Amino acid sequence: MADRPTEAPHPSSHGLHAVAAGVALSRLLAAQEAALHAVRPALGAIEAAAEACGTALRNGGRMGYAGAGSSGLMALADCLELAGTFGIMPPQTPMMFAGGAQALLHMTGAVEDDPALAQADFAASRIGAGDVVICVSASGSTPYTMEIVRAAQAVGASVVGVANVPGSPLLKAANIPVLLDTGPEVVAGSTRMGAGTAQKVALNMLSVLVGIRLGHVHDGYMVNVIADNAKLADRAARIVGAIAGVDRDAAAAALARAGGGVKPAILVAKGADPKAARAALAASGGHLGPAFLTHD
């Protein structure tokens, strides 16, 4: 059991079955907090990964995700948020999850051992040269994920490998290895816990930095949000109003004139016509700061 750190006994595991509920919860929380500390040493690698992904997307390429089981769920959660938060559409961010949609309803272990399934999923992703694939595996040795690594590198794509075991095959093979050394789990081998927490935080940070690099974040606002429901439409109006310094009615009018796009609406609210706003954003690579200067 102890061949992998994630399978080894945790100091807080002893007597876990017999302690009071409050004690058990305190131990579990402390382990989750400790897992967060494993992210800090990886900040440089996370930055390198985000820069690579941002470059791929900026050049019209793809930022794919791959994983199985709990690690795959962490990758999937990050992948699914990119469209609504940053306006990065699904064709640009293919997800390769062992077992596909069916596995989301009933997760089975066998799919993570199937290289043929990985090959089929990779082919469907349309990942190619110049793209980046973020491969996530707590053990760093999941067969499905490792097959995605091989397929990606064979076509000239770069691999970001996120793993929780030092020296694991995924970290050795990855172009950009991201080690999150979370160690043993309080429930041995249950990597949905500490390992998953660290993965979730690292992926959150990675994708937000990608959004910043693409100009989709300005002063902490998601300025490329896709307002496809009432909540997000309200958020879009509030963002336009806050950045442009106008009231809600003026923000809503600017959004209407800009066809719903938050970035051009901000410039429209500051006095630009929609065509000029779009031209300024095109010239700035989608970044509002330089577009403000162009408009002014």
Side-chain angles (χ1 to χ4, degrees), residues 60 84 91 109 162-163 187 229 269:
V162 180
V187 177
N229 63 30

Side-chain angles (χ1 to χ4, degrees), residues 100-207:
Q102 184 175 356
L104 296 176
L105 299 176
H106 180 66
M107 292 179 64
T108 59
V111 291
E112 70 178 49
D113 296 329
D114 190 342
L117 179 61
Q119 292 162 9
D121 289 348
F122 182 80
S125 76
R126 300 178 63 192
I127 292 289
D131 294 337
V132 179
V133 184
I134 303 169
C135 295
V136 188
S137 166
S139 69
S141 59
T142 307
Y144 175 94
T145 309
M146 293 306 300
E147 187 64 26
I148 296 291
V149 171
R150 287 186 283 271
Q153 293 177 330
V155 299
S158 295
V159 170
V160 173
V162 180
N164 300 81
V165 174
S168 55
L170 175 56
L171 295 177
K172 291 179 180 179
N175 301 94
I176 303 174
V178 180
L179 170 62
L180 306 172
D181 189 2
T182 48
E185 299 284 358
V186 176
V187 177
S190 183
T191 53
R192 68 188 181 89
M193 299 174 69
T197 293
Q199 291 168 358
K200 174 62 173 169
V201 172
L203 291 171
N204 282 348
M205 294 164 61
L206 191 162
S207 56

Side-chain angles (χ1 to χ4, degrees), residues 207-221:
S207 56
V208 169
L209 187 54
V210 169
I212 292 171
R213 290 291 182 260
L214 294 176
H216 299 338
V217 178
H218 184 88
D219 280 346
Y221 291 106

Side-chain angles (χ1 to χ4, degrees):
M1 287 285 287
D3 289 344
R4 298 174 181 168
T6 54
E7 303 281 352
H10 189 283
S12 294
S13 299
H14 181 70
L16 186 66
H17 63 284
V19 299
V23 174
L25 291 174
S26 293
R27 291 186 188 183
L28 292 169
L29 178 58
Q32 294 287 287
E33 292 170 338
L36 294 178
H37 291 290
V39 180
R40 186 167 294 279
L43 290 181
I46 294 169
E47 178 183 352
E51 297 291 354
C53 291
T55 297
L57 291 171
R58 194 179 300 112
N59 292 336
R62 292 178 173 83
M63 178 177 83
Y65 290 77
S70 297
S71 295
L73 290 176
M74 295 301 100
L76 177 63
D78 202 63
C79 180
L80 291 178
E81 295 281 5
L82 297 180
T85 307
F86 299 128
I88 304 172
M89 292 293 100
Q92 296 176 278
T93 58
M95 178 68 214
M96 290 155 277
F97 180 70
Q102 184 175 356
L104 296 176
L105 299 176
H106 180 66
M107 292 179 64
T108 59
V111 291
E112 70 178 49
D113 296 329
D114 190 342
L117 179 61
Q119 292 162 9
D121 289 348
F122 182 80
S125 76
R126 300 178 63 192
I127 292 289
D131 294 337
V132 179
V133 184
I134 303 169
C135 295
V136 188
S137 166
S139 69
S141 59
T142 307
Y144 175 94
T145 309
M146 293 306 300
E147 187 64 26
I148 296 291
V149 171
R150 287 186 283 271
Q153 293 177 330
V155 299
S158 295
V159 170
V160 173
V162 180
N164 300 81
V165 174
S168 55
L170 175 56
L171 295 177
K172 291 179 180 179
N175 301 94
I176 303 174
V178 180
L179 170 62
L180 306 172
D181 189 2
T182 48
E185 299 284 358
V186 176
V187 177
S190 183
T191 53
R192 68 188 181 89
M193 299 174 69
T197 293
Q199 291 168 358
K200 174 62 173 169
V201 172
L203 291 171
N204 282 348
M205 294 164 61
L206 191 162
S207 56
V208 169
L209 187 54
V210 169
I212 292 171
R213 290 291 182 260
L214 294 176
H216 299 338
V217 178
H218 184 88
D219 280 346
Y221 291 106
M222 52 176 80
V223 292
N224 211 45
V225 62
I226 302 299
D228 58 1
N229 63 30
K231 177 188 73 175
L232 294 179
D234 178 69
R235 180 178 297 165
R238 287 187 285 109
I239 291 170
V240 172
I243 297 177
V246 299
D247 62 26
R248 176 60 182 270
D249 290 343
L255 278 164
R257 291 185 63 200
V262 172
K263 290 184 195 178
I266 291 167
L267 298 180
V268 168
K270 291 175 69 67
D273 66 76
K275 183 177 179 181
R278 284 188 283 271
L281 288 166
S284 69
H287 292 263
L288 270 172
F292 284 149
L293 297 175
T294 300
H295 167 62
D296 291 341

